[in-house]
């Protein structure tokens, strides 16, 4: 067999490596020099890609869609800038007026109080819904069913007119004459109290379902493993369940808070001086309806934009356990962009100068 292989190797030029490969297993004899352009190990000559031209991928329809959208945005911007009926001077005049700022502060106060109380009560209702007690489950389910089934406007009017149903509100021992506190309902349920009651209870009904869904999204196997390790129940809830549930709760919870900001405009039916009611009072007096509505719209946009920024950073904080590296903040993205593109631009400028 070896003599035949030698004969073939001598008669066919370049076939020595191909025939000798089964015997040596390396494809070349030991200590043999590597031919020019070949990769060490006998894998053949390396391909030189230096002369190849890189052709970028073509996306013509992407550019067409971008052009169409850009024309639409430019048309809207041109209309806003050139149509005198928007009355931007009136908007600028009333945007920071004292009455508008006072109404804005009342809107923020309603949002903060109702949002905080609503989520606290919603958390309690969610725990009741997840408990093993049939009574607690039934009460929590009934509460969410009633307040999610009725419009917020109806709830507002009902709480404001509670004095027609109950003349007095008292606190004491049920089914006895013992009273610790008693007051007239019309005195106790003011415009502000009715607004807070309506917004809080409505928010609690939705928050309870959001929090319950977030808790149920956590794998129950983790709780079983933590219980097997002897971790106390409170620590399991605060250290294992809630940090993971927050990733599912936060996006929907912030949507509810943003909806609550805009939902405060319903309080105008109670003649409470929040932002939208204040705007109504002003344009009823000045007849500048559209500019004043635009003032309210811009303030709502500012509030929701600030909440969106807070949402981004809070979600980024709670994503630590789900991603290997945290997503870059807008400032970090800008720094990375300039750090990666600025040297290339300088090098290009230097090359053009040398040419």
């Amino acid at each position: 067999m070896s003599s035949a292989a030698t004969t073939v190797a001598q008669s066919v030029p370049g076939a020595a490596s191909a025939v000798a490969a089964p015997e040596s297993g390396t494809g070349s004899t030991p200590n043999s020099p590597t031919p020019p352009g070949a990769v060490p190990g006998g894998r053949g000559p390396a391909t030189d890609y230096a002369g190849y031209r890189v052709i970028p991928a073509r996306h013509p329809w992407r550019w067409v869609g971008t052009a169409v959208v850009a024309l639409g945005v430019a048309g809207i911007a041109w209309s806003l800038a050139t149509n005198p009926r928007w009355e931007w001077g009136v908007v600028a005049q009333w945007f920071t007026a004292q009455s508008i700022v006072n109404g804005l502060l009342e809107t923020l106060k309603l949002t903060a109080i109702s949002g905080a109380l609503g989520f606290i009560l919603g958390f309690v209702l969610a725990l009741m819904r997840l408990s093993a007690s049939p009574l607690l489950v039934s009460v929590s389910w009934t509460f969410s069913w009633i307040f999610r089934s009725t419009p917020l406007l109806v709830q507002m009017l009902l709480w404001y007119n509670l004095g027609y149903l109950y003349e007095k509100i008292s606190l004491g021992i049920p089914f006895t004459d013992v009273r610790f506190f008693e007051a007239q309902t019309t005195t106790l349920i003011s415009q502000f109290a009715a607004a807070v009651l309506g917004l809080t209870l409505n928010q609690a009904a939705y928050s309870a379902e959001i929090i319950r869904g977030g808790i149920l999204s956590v794998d129950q196997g983790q709780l079983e493993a933590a219980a097997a390790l002897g971790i106390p129940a409170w620590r399991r809830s605060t250290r294992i369940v809630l940090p993971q549930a927050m990733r599912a709760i936060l996006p929907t919870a912030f949507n509810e808070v943003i909806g609550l900001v805009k939902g405060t405009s319903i309080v105008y039916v109670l003649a409470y001086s929040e932002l939208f009611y204040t705007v109504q009072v002003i344009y009823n007096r000045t007849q500048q309806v559209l500019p004043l509505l635009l003032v309210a719209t811009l303030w709502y946009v500012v509030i929701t934009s600030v909440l969106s920024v807070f949402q981004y950073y809070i979600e980024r904080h709670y994503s630590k356990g789900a991603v290997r590296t945290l997503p870059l903040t807008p400032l970090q993205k800008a720094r990375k962009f300039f750090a990666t593109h600025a040297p290339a631009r300088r090098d290009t400028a230097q090359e053009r100068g040398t040419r």
Side-chain angles (χ1 to χ4, degrees), residues 24-316:
S24 62
T26 59
S28 61
T29 58
N31 302 324
S32 61
T34 302
V39 177
R43 297 182 181 178
T47 304
D48 186 11
Y49 294 100
Y52 285 77
R53 185 165 60 93
V54 178
I55 300 177
R58 307 295 183 183
H59 301 284
W61 290 110
R62 180 189 299 175
W63 288 103
V64 171
T66 302
V68 171
V69 173
L71 287 175
V73 172
I76 294 174
W78 178 259
S79 176
L80 293 174
T82 57
N83 190 346
R85 295 184 179 182
W86 286 104
E87 299 183 65
W88 291 107
V90 178
V91 174
Q93 174 188 352
W94 287 103
F95 190 72
T96 55
Q98 186 62 42
S99 56
I100 297 293
V101 173
N102 292 337
L104 175 65
L105 294 178
E106 294 298 324
T107 294
L108 294 176
K109 183 168 68 173
L110 283 174
T111 302
I113 295 175
S114 302
L117 295 178
F119 275 97
I120 292 174
L121 181 57
F123 181 73
V124 175
L125 290 170
L127 295 181
M128 291 172 60
R129 185 73 180 275
L130 295 173
S131 69
S133 171
L135 178 61
L136 295 180
V137 173
S138 301
V139 170
S140 176
W141 182 88
T142 304
F143 181 94
S144 299
W145 171 60
I146 291 175
F147 284 96
R148 290 195 302 168
S149 301
T150 54
L152 180 57
L153 180 60
V154 175
Q155 297 177 31
M156 291 281 187
L157 295 175
L158 179 63
W159 290 115
Y160 188 60
N161 295 283
L162 191 63
Y164 290 101
L165 298 175
Y166 303 97
E167 294 182 2
K168 295 181 180 180
I169 296 177
S170 59
L171 179 64
I173 300 177
F175 310 111
T176 64
D177 294 333
V178 179
R179 299 288 184 270
F180 304 115
F181 171 79
E182 188 174 65
Q184 291 289 332
T185 304
T186 54
T187 303
L188 193 61
I189 305 297
S190 61
Q191 296 168 324
F192 177 75
V196 170
L197 272 173
L199 293 172
T200 298
L201 297 178
N202 184 77
Q203 185 64 46
Y206 288 94
S207 301
E209 294 302 305
I210 294 172
I211 295 172
R212 184 177 70 91
I215 293 175
L216 292 177
S217 67
V218 180
D219 187 8
Q220 296 299 312
Q222 300 188 35
L223 293 178
E224 296 173 359
L229 292 174
I231 300 176
W234 176 254
R235 193 171 183 83
R236 292 199 300 267
S237 301
T238 56
R239 293 293 184 178
I240 298 176
V241 177
L242 286 180
Q244 298 182 75
M246 289 297 288
R247 293 198 297 268
I249 292 173
L250 280 174
T252 314
F254 266 96
N255 283 341
E256 286 296 319
V257 173
I258 290 174
L260 180 62
V261 172
K262 297 177 290 185
T264 55
S265 60
I266 299 179
V267 181
Y268 83 94
V269 298
L270 307 180
Y272 184 75
S273 299
E274 44 81 42
L275 178 60
F276 185 64
Y277 180 79
T278 304
V279 166
Q280 280 186 315
V281 171
I282 295 173
Y283 73 61
N284 285 332
R285 187 177 69 248
T286 63
Q287 299 301 314
Q288 297 169 327
V289 179
L290 287 178
L292 267 300
L293 289 177
L294 191 57
V295 169
T297 301
L298 292 177
W299 273 120
Y300 285 125
V301 169
V302 170
I303 297 172
T304 54
S305 300
V306 172
L307 289 175
S308 299
V309 173
F310 278 105
Q311 176 183 356
Y312 174 82
Y313 282 98
I314 295 176
E315 287 184 4
R316 182 176 180 271

